[in-house]
Amino acid sequence: AEAITGHANVWSFMTVDTARGWIFLPVSSPSNDWHGGGRLGDNKWAESVVCLDARTGKLIWARQLVHHGLWDYDPAAPPLLVRATIDGRARELVVQAGKTGFVYVLDRLTGEPIWPVEERPVPASDVPGEVASPTQPHPTRPAPVSPQGFARTDVVDFTPALRDSVLARIAGFREGPLFTPPSREGTVVLPGWLGGVGWGGTSVDLEQGLLLVKSTTRPSLARLVPRAADGAGAWMLDTTTSPSAPLLMNIVLSRPDGGRFPPMRLPITKPPYGTLTAIALATGEQRWQVAVGDTPEVREHPALQALGLPALGVAGPVGGVTTGGGLTFLTGGGSALVAVETATGRLRWSAPLGAIGWANPMTYQWQGRQFVVQAVGSGISSRLVAFALPQENGP
């Protein structure tokens, strides 16, 4: 793996084809993540899906998803191995969800895309020493599961005052389409470093032939500053704050009586902040997309309660688990566990957890009874919360 990836690291979320003895690796971002002056070129096979013979380490195939990565768009989720009938032909697939918001569907034997992937021109960089790739891969199907690129029209507009506050805050930042490079003044990157699709990955309903994908809409600020010492390039990401922090605004609004509302931590983009999307494996078409989870600190803020806000969803890199009973369970990164009807996206059940569920749920059966378990909290406050179907002859 070290010889293949060069500057990159390999995530531990690999997947195994036990029949063939092949392993599928989602390879991480090259370093320096945000400036590539010390690693010019495509940086193969960083930000790629790599297939190896597990017995020998021999490279079977590799498919790069992002050339010369500058956005921390590593494929963080484990590849999904699944079979589907496409155009009347049984196919073995590798499905890789990306932080880019794309879902990459590849032939398991060759790594070739099932549907066309186009190399499209993308913006150039003006940072000294940087040479961004002139093109990036854009799958033509499935459609992106999250917004890509940022413009002023994407700014939250619950009220004119909120919109004006956000526009004033980001006035000096750069905007642009997907793959607009980091800059010295700061580029608003969407999807941000959570994704798109984070490490929670995807789940699948084999009977209905549906792929379920949790995605996030939360931008990051890619602002470059000079390095203290010249290492792998002369520029680096501004680490004085989290890349997401400058784009989560602490806003104080005036009350009708002349007073002030308490501060509000508000994302700069319009909701939904998190969605669940169902994709037909046979065609790559989206069956439905719904907001999943909620963001109570926005919805319950006294300045916004009277506005009748739309479904907000919740930002988070975690995914779900899909059951044979036609339900998908997930938190989406919020503090409630929800069950969504896999065929339609309709919310069927929800239960508060008392803390954020920052992990995929799991399900199992014991003595004929089905359980769903969710890890919540962090550190010494972490715990498991379990739910179960009622027993036939008991509680």
Side-chain angles (χ1 to χ4, degrees):
E2 182 179 356
I4 292 169
T5 61
H7 288 280
N9 301 312
V10 178
W11 275 86
S12 59
F13 301 126
M14 55 189 74
T15 307
V16 180
D17 182 331
T18 55
R20 294 184 174 87
W22 291 1
I23 57 175
F24 298 85
L25 310 174
V27 184
S28 185
S29 299
S31 183
N32 176 327
D33 290 20
W34 304 85
H35 183 261
R39 48 175 178 84
L40 299 179
D42 281 352
N43 309 141
K44 294 184 177 180
W45 290 107
E47 295 185 342
S48 303
V49 180
V50 175
C51 176
L52 301 177
D53 188 315
R55 293 155 294 200
T56 66
K58 179 183 177 181
L59 177 66
I60 307 293
W61 57 259
R63 170 69 52 175
Q64 190 167 53
L65 311 180
V66 179
H67 307 319
H68 190 74
L70 299 173
W71 305 270
D72 197 28
Y73 279 161
D74 51 298
L80 175 71
L81 305 185
V82 67
R83 292 179 175 88
T85 299
I86 300 174
D87 295 331
R89 175 185 170 193
R91 304 291 296 267
E92 293 185 79
L93 309 177
V94 177
V95 178
Q96 180 67 63
K99 286 186 179 180
T100 55
F102 287 125
V103 176
Y104 307 86
V105 183
L106 310 174
D107 184 281
R108 195 186 312 181
L109 303 184
T110 66
E112 290 298 313
I114 297 297
W115 296 288
V117 173
E118 299 175 351
E119 287 286 338
R120 298 179 184 173
V122 294
S125 173
D126 61 1
V127 176
E130 182 61 86
V131 183
S133 175
T135 64
Q136 292 288 351
H138 286 68
T140 57
R141 190 181 297 184
V145 294
S146 62
Q148 296 176 320
F150 177 80
R152 297 301 196 266
T153 53
D154 298 317
V155 163
V156 61
D157 57 358
F158 295 153
T159 69
L162 277 178
R163 183 176 184 275
D164 291 346
S165 294
V166 174
L167 288 175
R169 173 70 174 269
I170 65 173
F173 299 154
R174 183 174 295 185
E175 61 183 82
L178 182 67
F179 300 121
T180 298
S183 59
R184 287 168 285 183
E185 64 269 39
T187 299
V188 180
V189 173
L190 186 68
W193 67 341
L194 281 180
V197 186
W199 44 258
T202 60
S203 59
V204 66
D205 186 312
L206 293 175
E207 289 190 3
Q208 300 187 63
L210 291 179
L211 182 75
L212 285 302
V213 189
K214 165 62 173 64
S215 59
T216 291
T217 301
R218 174 165 290 179
S220 296
L221 184 65
R223 179 167 51 201
L224 299 182
V225 295
R227 292 177 64 95
D230 189 8
W235 299 83
M236 62 182 289
L237 185 70
D238 182 357
T239 57
T240 58
T241 184
S242 162
S244 296
L247 305 180
L248 286 169
M249 297 185 57
N250 287 317
I251 294 177
V252 179
L253 297 177
S254 298
R255 298 170 59 95
D257 61 8
R260 308 284 277 181
F261 285 111
M264 172 170 43
R265 189 168 176 263
L266 182 72
I268 70 167
T269 56
K270 299 172 184 176
Y273 308 127
T275 59
L276 185 65
T277 304
I279 297 171
L281 286 167
T283 63
E285 296 175 346
Q286 286 190 8
R287 289 282 181 85
W288 51 260
Q289 184 178 77
V290 297
V292 65
D294 198 18
T295 307
E297 62 184 323
V298 175
R299 179 176 301 285
E300 298 173 3
H301 193 276
L304 304 178
Q305 283 183 341
L307 298 181
L309 295 181
L312 297 180
V314 64
V318 296
V321 59
T322 298
T323 70
L327 296 176
T328 295
F329 292 87
L330 74 163
T331 71
S335 56
L337 182 64
V338 303
V340 175
E341 191 173 82
T342 303
T344 65
R346 181 167 67 95
L347 179 66
R348 292 290 300 274
W349 172 85
S350 177
L353 296 167
I356 292 178
W358 206 244
N360 290 24
M362 65 171 292
T363 185
Y364 61 92
Q365 285 190 338
W366 176 253
Q367 296 181 346
R369 192 182 188 194
Q370 186 167 1
F371 292 78
V372 176
V373 177
Q374 176 68 53
V376 303
S378 61
I380 61 173
S381 68
S382 60
R383 64 187 188 279
L384 298 176
V385 180
F387 303 86
L389 291 175
Q391 293 177 314
E392 290 185 5
N393 298 311

